[in-house]
Structures are given as C-alpha cells and as structure tokens.
Amino acid sequence: MKANVKPVEMLYEASQTTLGLIEGAVPKHEMQILKSFFRCMESNLRIKLEQIAEGKPIIGHHFAFPSEVFSCFDAVPICVEAISYLFSALFTTGSEKYYDLANSWGHPYHSCTSQKGMIGMALEHNFIDFDVIAIPSAPCDNTIASYQFFSEHLNIPTIVADMPYYHNSRGYEYYSNELESMIQELSTILNQEPNYERLRQSIIYSNHAVENLAEINNLRRSIPCPVESVFNPIGSAVQNFFSGQVEKEIFYNEVLEIARERVRTKKAWRETDERVRSFWPYMSVFFDITFCEWLDRKLGMPIVTDIFNYFFFGPIKNIESLDTKGMIDGLAYQSMEYPMVRQSESFASVFFEDAVNLAHQFSADCAIFTAHIGCKQSASMIQLMREILKEEVGIPMLTIEMDIGDKRMTSLETIKKKVLEFTQTLL
Amino acid sequence: MSATNFLDFSSLLRNAHLTEWIQNHKKVIGFYCSSIPEEIIHAAGMLPYRIRATNNLNYNLADSLLSQFNCSYVKSTLNLIMEDKYNFLNGIVIANTCDHVRRMYDIYKHKLNKNSQNPIALFFLSLPHLFDENGWLWVREELKLFQEQLSRNLNIEIDERKIQETNHLYKRNQELIRKIMEFRILPEPKLNGVDFLKISIANSSVRKEYANEKLEQLIMYYQQDEGPKIENVRARLMLLGSSIDNPAFIQILEHHGAIVVSDLLCTSERWGLKDPLWHYDNWNSEDPYYPIIQRIYGDCFCPRIMNGHSLRMNLIKQRIKEAKIDGIILQRLEFCDLHGCENMLIQQEMEEINGTPILSIDREYLLGDTGRLRTRVEAFLERLERS
Amino acid sequence: MICGIDVGSILIKAIVLDEKNSNDIVLQEIGKSIGNPEESVTTLINNIRKKLRLKKRDLQIAFTGRNCENLTMNPKIAELNCLAEGIHTSSDHNRIIVDIGGFTNKIIKIDETGRIMDYLMNNICSSGSGVFISLICKSLGIDIMEIDTYAFKSEHPHPISSQCSIFAETEVIYLMNEGKQIEDIVAGACKSITGRLIPLILKIGREINQVLMLTGGLAKSEFIKQDLMEQLHIEVKNPSIDPIFTCAYGCARSLQNTSKEEI
Ligand code: SF4
Ligand code: SF4
C-alpha cells in the first residue's frame, strides 16, 4: 500500500505554483533568493516523493536533530516542524485548521504551533505515514511534551537522543553515545545496515553549507546588507528541511553568489536605502514571508542576522579520513551547537554572549525579539536580553509577542505597526 | 503542641523549625522540583527547603523580569524572592526539569545575584529526559559532581556514612508519608486532600528528623479509634497535573463534599509512591547513591520523561483502583506545556477505555474568581452522581 | 494657529495653540472616536474653526494617536514622539512618561532633548488600561469619574485576578454577588492597573531622582497616583497641561518644529 504523504504532496504542488508565479511575474534580478529557495524546495520534494513512491521508509524528525544521521539509511527524512510552518507560510489559511483541531483535542493553546500543525494533520488523518520518528530531548518543553502524542497516541516508534544541558566534553560525549545508539535502533526498526560512507557524503554536503553560510554572513556584515531579509525565515526552513542533503549546499551556494555579486558591483538591489539595520536575536516571522519584503522595501530595515542563520561551529574537519565514531562525535558537537539549540538548551549566558557578539559584528542599530508563545525557554530571558543589549551594545530592543506560525494571535498588520512605531523612535 | 500544628507550617514560608535553624546559624538550600537530591544537602548538615509561592499576592515585581507566557507558579515564587521573602536561603539548586524552572538559574545568575549584597550559591543539575541505562549512569555522575560542588562551595565535608544515614532517614520519611496516604484512601478517610497537601508542604520545609517525629505523632493521632474521619464522602477525587502548593485550591474542589483522596502531584503524593516507576536492574544496591537515584530519577513521575508515559498511565490506573476513585480533576497551570500535553493524553486514553470521568481545569496560580470554578466542580459532582 | 489632534481608541482630543503668543493653549476639545473616526475628526475640526472663527488656512493641523492611521488627512506624527514632545515642552527634562490610554499603556523614557531613549507598551490584551476600568465601572454601575471617591474609602481592596478585561468583568459580577463592597472592588481594579504598570516601569528602569509623569485618561486619578508612589517610592506628577491632552499638545508642538512637510 502506498504510504500517505498528502502534506508533502500539497507542499510540492504549492512550491511548484509559487515558483511558477515568481519566476513568471518577478523581474529576473529580483527576489533571487526566494526563487533559489523554491527551486531547491521543488526538486527536494520531488525526489522525496519519488523515493517514497519506490517504497522507501519515511523518518520523521525534529528540527534540532542532525538529519545527516539518516543518510546512513536508504530512507526519506522529513522534518515535522518544517511541515507545520511551511504550511503556514505557503497557504492562505496556513496550518490554522490543523491548529484548531489539535487545540480542540486538548493540545494546550500555548503549546508550540510547530508541532501542533502536524498533530492536527494526524487528527484529520491527513498525515505522513512515518515509519519511525527520531528526535532530541531538546530544546524545549514543547518538544518533550508534544512528541509524546506521536509515540503514545499514534504509536509511531519514536527514538529519542537525550541531550544533556552541559555543552562541555562530558555533554558532547554523552550525546554522541546517544546518537550512536539511535543509529543502532534505527537500523533495527528499518531493518537496514547503516552505511557510513553515505553518512560521510552527507557530512561533506553539510560542510560546504557551513562554509558557505559563514561566507554569506561575512558579506552580510557589509553596509548595505547584500542579502534580503527573507533569507532568514527561508534559511531556517533550509536548515531543517534540507539538512544533510545536496539542496542545502546548492541553496547556500546560490545565495553566496548573489551576495558576492551585489557586494562586488555595489549595485543596489532594492530601491529603498538601508536606514536601520535590525538584528533579530531570536526568530523571524514564519507565517508570512512578505513581511520581509516589507522590511526591506518599505522600511529600509533589513534583518542583518538572527540566531537561526548563524552557525557557531565550523565544518567537521578531516571528513575524508574520519572513522565512524569521529563522524558521530562531530555531528553530536554540531547539533548541540545548532542555532536555537545552543541558545535554548543551555545556560542563558551563551544566548546573551551570542546576541551581543552578533549585534556588534553586524553593526546592528536595534534588535527585535519575537516572543513566540511556544518558546517558554526564552520567555524568561527577554527582559534580560533587552537590558544586556542596551548596556553592552547600546541598542534598543523591541519585543513582539506573537505566534510565529499563526497570524491570528498577532496579525501581520499589528506586527508591522509595532515595527513601524519602533523605527519612528529610532530615526 | 498538638500533632496537627505541623500542618500550619504550610501556611508560612518561615516556620518555627526553620526560624530556630537559622538562629543557630545553620544553612538552608532552596530547590524547585522533586528531582533534586535533597539527601545530599541534608547529609551536608543543611536544611533542604522546597521553594513555594505561599501567600504571594501579585506578580508586580516578577512581571518586570518574566513574560506573559511564563508559568504563574514560578512567577509567584520569583515575586516572593524579589520581595526578599526568601532571604533565608544560602543557596539554590535547579535542574532542567521544565523551561520555566530551569531559567530561574539564569535569573539568579544574571539579575538577582548581581543586584544583591548577599549573592547566594547556585547549583545546577542536568537530568536526563529518558529512562535508560545511560541516563542512570549520568545521574550517578551528576550526584557525585553536585556533592563535590556543594562541599567546595560551602566548605562542608560530606562523607558516605552521612549519606547512608540520611538515606535511612529519608526512607523512613517516605514510609511515614505512605502510611498517611493509606489513611487518605480509607472508605471513610481520616484526612482530606487539603490536609494531606499541608502535610506534604510542611514535610518539604523542615529537616527530616524533625519531620519524622511530627509525622509519627500525626499517625498516632489519625490511628486513634476516636480519631478524625470523614463520613458521607460525596465523591472520591483524584487530582493530577501541574504543581500545586496552595491548599486553598484543593479546598475549592472539596467545598461541595467531595474529597481528594489521591493526587500524584509532584508537590504531594509522589513522595510516598510504593513501587518504583522505572528501575535499572544492573546496579549495585549497596551504592549509597542508589536510593537517591531511584527517587529523583527512577521514580520521576513527571511528563518530562519522554519514554515514561505508559508507566505513568499504569500508575494512575493502579491508583484509581486502590483509592476507589470516582472522578479525576486534571488541571493545568497556564503555559505549562509538560502537564498540558500529558493531560491531553490522559484525557483521551481515559475516554477511550471509557474510564473514570474527568474534569479539566486551566488555572492561574493566584486564585481569583473562585466562583466559576466552584460552579464547574459542582456540575462535575452532579455528573458523577448521575453516572 | 496650530492644532494637534490625537485620535485615540476611544476619544479624540484636540488642542489649539497660538504660536504667535508663546504657544498659549487657545482651545481644548474632545470627541468620540468610535464608529467612523474620519467623520468625527471632521466634525471636531469644524467645531474648532467655528468656535475660533478661523478660516481653513489659518489653522494648521497635524494628527496622531492609535486610531489615526486610517484617516485620509495628513500630516501624521508618530504617537510616541508626540507624547515625548508633549512632556518635553511642557515640563522639566529627564522624565519617564506613564501614559494610561484606552487600550494601551505606554512607558516612555526621554532624555534632556526630548528624544526617546526607550519605551514599552502593554501587549496584546487591554487589561490594566482605560477600557479595563471602564468595563468594571459599567458592571458596578458607577461613573468612571467617581473611581477616586470609591477607591479612597476602601479598607480592604479586593484584588481582581483576571488578566483579561472580559474575564475581569465577570469576576466583578461574582464579587458583587458574594457581597463584596463596591469600594473594595474599585480599589482592587485600580490596583490591578498599577499592578500592570509597575512591571513595565521597572523594565524600563529608572535612575534616581527621576519623576514619573502620568498622562492619559486615568492620569487624574489621585488613587492610582498615590498607589504608584507608595509602591515604587518615586515622585509621580501630572504635566502642567491637562494630562489627557498631552499627546495632542505634543502633536501640535511637533508640527511647529517640523514645518508643514508631511511626516
Ligand atoms: S519554536 Fe520554540 S517552542 Fe517551538 S519547537 Fe522551537 S524551540 Fe520549541
Ligand atoms: S506547573 Fe508546569 S510549568 Fe509550572 S513549574 Fe510545574 S512543570 Fe513547570
């Protein structure tokens, strides 16, 4: 029997349509990054669907998981959170129907919409037939609590790699062991022997992506910033959806070329001048990517960086010659230092230091913090962050309470109003 | 002093025993969750004190640091801390139990300690989110490291013998609480849910040698033939969900003649659970840390353990039978994702097996409009009576 | 003459200054913002012109306020900047402004030049702002102007715990049914307003010797003022102009500064 993958099919169609639309209607040199993203998305989803049709098993995974690991197997990885949020970004009514279903079934209204979307899809029987789910025990209570729906209610075999709180050698080693046993468990469930050469290839893709992103970030430090703000929300999607896959390398490569060209020719790529450089210490808005266009074109206020689009680690070294243990150690280290995981599943000092460094390095004029209703782990840190950025960098921070995946909590209009009000006090 | 005076310790942060302890220049270490190895603190000659939000009136100060998405129980404790009501603490131990609690460490570090003339010692424990061998071994190491830090920081010797002694004391304490839990589930209970919570709270605010003495007196009191008993119980309720440290909340549930005979709350009955929830077989039970690991980890009933749901469900079902439960109150503090999602699963599973009726309540820590809640409880009791 | 019009969520406040005569306040007018603000604003402007016998070109107008963005009329000036300018030009420097509006509370810190250093607003819900208390007064059947009279009589203010205005309204009904005194409920409601303001003020932080300038609809409540003083141990004042007109006043003054160019 063919596996149910309706949500993936819907996303594939939506990517095709969106790509067709923007390639047809938008002049060649505009929205290049968005176009690149949809090209990668379209091809990634097409291949995934083909593989699923061939009967390959599907692995559901969490966004904070090193999905390179799955390349050990002949399987199709799909990120749970990315599905919920791609729905909310690409469809007019987003994931709202699914959120409501999950809520009416008892999922707390304040629990994160990044998993709520998928919970709703399952309740509507419009789900993905995951053969297995693989997740870390981080970076938040939502991850810990919501995934128990999949394991306990849907009875999907769920393997958890327990992530310790300490980002030190003891912590990395523990997590590496966890990943190792996870590979063994996956091997049993999927009835496949792990192929570590494929893992190596996947890490090579990721290494290139890591290097390219570092280079992109170097260029983004230039004034004016050569990269559109939309890079931020879609960059997050790229990391979660294409991790360990060739599309991630391709996307960052293309963005890098675009950025290089813009810096080299000093050609303005948008008619509005850069007036305020905004740094988003947390996430950006996911439910409507046109918001970023508005920031760039209407306000002249590019997002110069956020924590999702900055890697605080380099590529895994000597990958050609590393043994299996070495590769897994490398992935364990990287994934504990992943964007968001590093700041969320650890002491707040790391979060504050990162924010201060980034604000300095990217010459930010202000900060905007999206207080996402799901993220309780950051809820207690917002005021401290405000104070620290003020004291140590001298920039003001605006906080906007919202649901990054549901426009009904704080509408785009309200968000824009708050941002506009904020810029008026800055200029 | 009559035996029941001990219950009054729950209504104050500073009880008589604590006051005397402080006057004798002895140290007090605060902690947030049941997963903290108080035994080690005790063995170090200090008083482990479970932080609670007793008598907090508003969030004015705490709201200046936290956001509107924070759990109002943690917020209330912070409010009291900022009002200087916890100035008897010499240190605090926090673990990665829930997102709200774990961030208290950061708040202490980056704000409270910085602004204070008497910064307190901060300790952290990283605890696993899974029941398995790796987790067990990790906890064992954490305990060792915690003990070392505690000794170093507060300049106190803690040897194995002291830990062993403490373990005995704690074991006894758990047995005594268990005994009182038996009085709760009698056909005519000897005490109601309010009083049991008071006992549990008092028990977590004093040294255990003192507590044991008081608990023994209480047991004698309940055991007397002419001792108290509650007749004509309208319904026998079980209370589950987020942390509760305020007896007034249970009072509302019991207002119409129902009795909370079991609760499985982290602030209450979990202390006296009979059988291990999860157990690691390949460990030497002579290890002085063994009972501590079992208590804080193997018996961790909290939804933070990702592969523990079915074990928790089994325990709930077993307890429903033992305590002859008529109905369950599932409550969630707003913004508590852990219990919120767990409640969702409990409710669905109970409905699927056509099990015990459930009333779901979302609440704020500060009890405001109790009228609405009372009406809902009354309607629930009527439903139980009809069925 | 110059006129600043503050189109708030509930009320429209207009102030007319005589720029030739050291910016004396010539007229203050209030209208309702409910329904069609464009229409209400036009009526208000016509009234002003009529009262002052001014021709169109003799009255320069600028608009501000939460509800002004949908007006077709221009120029518009950012509300926060108007509040800052209003306080800066009417009082001594180095202030923290606490504005209790219909739906939003704003805390603004300004420097000696009137520039905004930092600001905060309450989020999403309207609890602890003007409508919150007016809903409560409505359920109690008292006039909002009487809150001080009641609140000062209270011996045991009864806290309103609901964070949400709508729930607060039902809570009040329960409290009345339970036989709680009206004065205790009113004082409790006022205290929940200060309870909402205090964390915001603490978040902004204050240096020693700073004074809180209370503006907006509820700024005249002595009870709220005193409660803030007691809880924060800080001096709380009203501006020299009528506090409800602070934003309109600042708007007029800003218009003067920025000439006629559209903002
Ligand atoms: S968005 Fe926040 S709450 Fe949601 S899964 Fe990510 S870290 Fe957790
Ligand atoms: S009630 Fe929930 S959110 Fe609050 S402290 Fe307990 S586990 Fe954490």
Side-chain angles (χ1 to χ4, degrees), chain A residues 76-280:
Chain A
V76 187
I78 291 180
C79 172
V80 167
E81 287 75 17
I83 296 277
S84 296
Y85 281 170
L86 283 167
F87 261 68
S88 82
L90 297 186
F91 298 107
T92 335
T93 51
S95 296
E96 289 166 16
K97 173 168 88 169
Y98 305 114
Y99 298 158
D100 293 347
L101 256 172
N103 285 345
S104 65
W105 205 74
H107 197 236
Y109 71 89
H110 50 70
S111 291
C112 187
T113 40
S114 73
Q115 290 102 17
K116 199 188 285 288
M118 276 299 236
I119 293 180
M121 287 176 199
L123 292 171
E124 210 206 33
H125 305 294
N126 178 15
F127 196 53
I128 301 173
D129 287 339
F130 293 120
D131 291 271
V132 58
I133 286 182
I135 50 171
S137 64
C140 59
D141 285 351
N142 288 284
T143 302
I144 290 163
S146 288
Y147 272 90
Q148 296 185 38
F149 168 86
F150 302 117
S151 60
E152 304 301 325
H153 184 69
L154 301 181
N155 293 317
I156 301 174
T158 301
I159 318 175
V160 183
D162 183 38
M163 190 186 287
Y165 209 63
Y166 306 136
H167 292 221
N168 57 16
S169 50
R170 179 169 161 244
Y172 300 135
E173 194 186 317
Y174 178 88
Y175 195 55
S176 175
N177 289 337
E178 289 285 304
L179 290 185
E180 220 175 314
S181 14
M182 177 181 268
I183 295 178
Q184 293 316 320
E185 279 182 71
L186 277 172
S187 162
T188 314
I189 293 175
L190 299 175
N191 199 14
Q192 290 182 21
E193 274 307 308
N195 177 339
Y196 292 106
E197 280 319 301
R198 290 177 42 158
L199 175 63
R200 190 182 313 280
Q201 181 54 48
S202 163
I203 297 180
I204 292 174
Y205 291 146
S206 291
N207 273 354
H208 290 158
V210 171
E211 282 161 355
N212 285 348
L213 181 61
E215 187 55 32
I216 294 170
N217 276 324
N218 269 337
L219 295 169
R220 295 180 93 189
R221 294 185 171 96
S222 354
I223 301 175
C225 177
V227 174
E228 288 100 312
S229 300
V230 79
F231 178 70
N232 289 65
I234 62 180
S236 321
V238 166
Q239 281 176 58
N240 303 331
F241 215 74
F242 305 154
S243 196
Q245 296 152 56
V246 68
E247 287 81 4
K248 186 164 166 181
E249 191 193 338
I250 299 176
F251 174 75
Y252 284 138
N253 230 333
E254 293 190 9
V255 176
L256 180 57
E257 284 314 312
I258 297 168
R260 274 195 187 131
E261 176 71 7
R262 285 176 182 166
V263 171
R264 193 176 57 79
T265 57
K266 296 204 170 65
K267 215 171 92 194
W269 54 274
R270 56 175 134 79
E271 47 295 350
T272 330
D273 283 344
E274 179 170 298
R275 298 197 297 171
V276 185
R277 291 171 69 86
S278 62
F279 159 51
W280 295 54

Side-chain angles (χ1 to χ4, degrees), chain B residues 53-271:
Chain B
T54 308
N55 299 331
N56 181 45
L57 295 176
N58 59 52
Y59 310 122
N60 291 358
L61 294 177
D63 266 339
S64 71
L65 281 179
L66 299 182
S67 99
Q68 77 183 102
F69 303 140
N70 281 109
C71 157
S72 54
Y73 158 65
V74 174
K75 199 177 263 190
S76 293
T77 62
L78 177 61
N79 209 66
L80 293 176
I81 292 170
M82 292 174 82
E83 282 176 356
D84 224 16
K85 302 263 166 60
Y86 271 107
N87 58 10
F88 53 82
L89 296 181
N90 301 92
I92 190 165
V93 193
I94 290 169
N96 55 337
T97 46
C98 83
D99 288 342
H100 310 261
V101 163
R102 68 169 155 114
R103 287 302 187 201
M104 282 303 296
Y105 179 92
D106 302 297
I107 289 185
Y108 256 104
K109 179 165 177 198
H110 292 275
K111 191 78 184 183
L112 304 175
N113 262 0
K114 269 194 184 156
N115 292 357
S116 164
Q117 284 169 341
N118 304 307
I120 63 170
L122 303 181
F123 304 94
F124 195 90
L125 278 119
S126 165
L127 298 174
H129 285 287
L130 287 178
F131 286 143
D132 62 11
E133 178 182 3
N134 286 351
W136 183 280
L137 300 177
W138 173 275
V139 176
R140 173 67 174 75
E141 231 176 307
E142 279 296 281
L143 293 187
K144 195 88 201 120
L145 291 170
F146 172 58
Q147 180 177 325
E148 279 165 24
Q149 273 179 36
L150 199 64
S151 308
R152 211 176 322 123
N153 238 297
L154 301 162
N155 224 346
I156 291 166
E157 274 294 310
I158 313 164
D159 59 31
E160 274 194 11
R161 191 187 41 88
K162 279 193 193 144
I163 302 239
Q164 301 273 26
E165 279 170 21
T166 308
N167 286 342
H168 286 303
L169 206 59
Y170 270 67
K171 186 163 166 245
R172 174 78 186 136
N173 187 266
Q174 283 177 292
E175 283 163 5
L176 294 170
I177 288 287
R178 203 167 301 146
K179 181 81 200 145
I180 298 178
M181 279 162 66
E182 282 165 22
F183 296 140
R184 265 184 111 171
I185 60 171
L186 292 173
E188 288 182 335
K190 301 237 171 214
L191 72 166
N192 60 15
V194 169
D195 284 353
F196 187 79
L197 182 66
K198 287 183 177 172
I199 295 170
S200 302
I201 299 284
N203 190 42
S204 67
S205 328
V206 294
R207 288 270 295 185
K208 290 291 184 278
E209 50 276 70
Y210 181 88
N212 288 356
E213 204 180 292
K214 294 294 155 197
L215 294 178
E216 271 160 18
Q217 289 170 5
L218 272 172
I219 290 170
M220 267 160 46
Y221 164 74
Y222 289 127
Q223 255 167 350
Q224 304 159 53
D225 288 340
E226 68 283 13
K229 69 175 177 219
I230 305 167
E231 293 165 353
N232 304 324
V233 174
R234 193 172 161 201
R236 298 166 70 88
L237 301 179
M238 172 185 260
L239 178 57
L240 299 173
S242 303
S243 327
I244 296 181
D245 71 3
N246 185 1
F249 177 75
I250 302 186
Q251 203 162 16
I252 298 170
L253 306 179
E254 294 184 327
H255 180 81
H256 297 282
I259 298 292
V260 175
V261 293
S262 176
D263 60 50
L264 293 176
L265 297 173
C266 60
T267 38
S268 176
E269 252 184 32
R270 284 189 210 164
W271 189 259

